[in-house]
Amino acid sequence: MTGSLKTMVSYVKGRANVSPATAVVLGSGLGHMAENVEGGVKVPYGDIPGYPQPTVEGHSGELILGNLRGEKVVMASGRFHLYEGWDLETVTLPIKLFHELGVKNLILTNSAGSVQVQNGPGTLMAITAHLDFTYQESSDTPLIVNEDRYHSSGLLHIAGESAERNRIDLKEGVYAWALGPSYETPAEIDLIRELGGHAVGMSTVPEIRAAGELGMNILTISCLTNYAAGVVEAPITHEEVITSAAEAGERFGKLLTSIIEDLGGTE
Ligand code: HPA
């Protein structure tokens, strides 16, 4: 990483005079949410001194700062994955930037594969716990991590209530973090299911860890864009992931907007 965090923070503060309480990391299919931000200032990553540029299709790369239903927000469209070759410092950089901007509540979104046949493509799932299926830190059997500092029970409660009020089906489950870049094998998915995982994806856990250490309230919601390997016979394609995320985008955006509105006053 080039450039210091301090330089980046002062650049963003200079562009947008907002002190956001809530940050949202937009996964694929959610780019349209930026359009609902009132008085939104868009700051392309390329403008921020030393900020990296994402490379994955379906992610653009900008921060959007403004008001959403009266709540001060910052949104990040475009994220950095370890499988693209970025280091942990870069992957977690947006979280540190949010923290410096004064963010208290962090909403992380992502696309994930569904480990369970009853949760078809398009299912939205609030993440109550995660497990590290990367085997990077240890070769021991991964354990389920459900600490409140990583998965805020308060925010999960708000998410559940918002979903009910908007008649949006929101499941709850455990997110298994796999390294990628290939999709998993059916045998790996069987093991993830045995370990208690319901969704599998290649992002988010580094961000959860970083934000948890910084004391933010964290809510993660996955859009299950496809059946994980071996759950059904059809092969997984990146196109299916992008298409399903786009189809669920409107419903997902509506839920997120309602959650952000309900966050008013909780800091
Ligand atoms: N596996 C891992 N990551 C994913 C998947 C999947 O099936 N779908 C979307 N992201």
Side-chain angles (χ1 to χ4, degrees):
M1 187 182 72
T2 53
S4 77
L5 181 62
K6 211 171 146 193
T7 315
M8 297 174 194
V9 172
S10 55
Y11 180 81
V12 174
K13 281 185 175 165
R15 284 279 296 267
N17 191 18
V18 182
S19 305
T22 300
V24 189
V25 175
L26 302 172
S28 31
L30 288 172
H32 66 278
M33 273 203 77
E35 289 152 29
N36 300 331
V37 179
E38 297 139 29
V41 177
K42 292 186 175 180
V43 184
Y45 291 172
D47 287 1
I48 307 171
Y51 210 78
Q53 294 291 308
T55 58
V56 179
E57 197 189 328
H59 294 276
S60 57
E62 59 186 15
L63 296 178
I64 306 100
L65 299 103
N67 286 285
L68 188 68
R69 302 272 176 91
E71 292 306 307
K72 294 191 179 87
V73 294
V74 53
M75 295 186 180
S77 176
R79 59 145 61 90
F80 310 102
H81 302 91
L82 285 179
Y83 67 76
E84 296 171 276
W86 299 109
D87 58 10
L88 267 178
E89 202 182 330
T90 305
V91 171
T92 57
L93 176 66
I95 307 302
K96 291 172 195 151
L97 182 76
F98 296 155
H99 180 66
E100 292 296 326
L101 291 173
V103 166
K104 302 281 184 290
N105 300 313
L106 174 67
I107 304 177
L108 297 164
T109 67
N110 61 39
S111 294
S114 172
V115 173
Q116 297 168 294
V117 76
Q118 67 266 34
N119 293 329
T123 300
L124 299 179
M125 181 176 277
I127 300 305
T128 57
H130 66 266
L131 60 90
D132 180 349
F133 197 74
T134 67
Y135 295 92
Q136 281 195 308
E137 285 182 357
S138 145
S139 54
D140 295 346
T141 303
L143 296 174
I144 289 180
V145 179
N146 65 356
E147 289 167 54
D148 208 78
R149 66 173 167 153
Y150 298 127
H151 305 281
S152 160
S153 50
L155 294 193
L156 281 164
H157 182 75
I158 288 176
E161 290 201 325
S162 290
E164 215 175 298
R165 213 176 43 251
N166 288 283
R167 296 178 208 283
I168 292 172
D169 191 25
L170 181 64
K171 306 281 194 240
E172 288 195 340
V174 175
Y175 179 88
W177 175 37
L179 212 46
S182 309
Y183 292 117
E184 301 69 35
T185 63
E188 287 173 315
I189 297 302
D190 285 344
L191 178 54
I192 285 173
R193 190 184 299 108
E194 224 170 277
L195 295 170
H198 305 113
V200 56
M202 304 174 196
S203 67
T204 312
V205 170
E207 289 131 296
I208 289 174
R209 286 179 178 161
E213 302 318 319
L214 291 169
M216 293 173 166
N217 305 313
I218 308 166
L219 174 68
T220 303
I221 303 182
S222 295
C223 176
L224 308 187
T225 50
N226 57 282
Y227 284 116
V231 177
V232 293
E233 282 205 8
I236 306 163
T237 63
H238 185 59
E239 287 68 39
E240 180 190 10
V241 171
I242 297 293
T243 310
S244 301
E247 280 170 9
E250 196 185 321
R251 185 166 32 101
F252 201 170
K254 189 174 163 191
L255 175 62
L256 290 171
T257 304
S258 169
I259 292 170
I260 291 164
E261 203 174 359
D262 289 356
L263 279 175
T266 59
E267 282 191 20

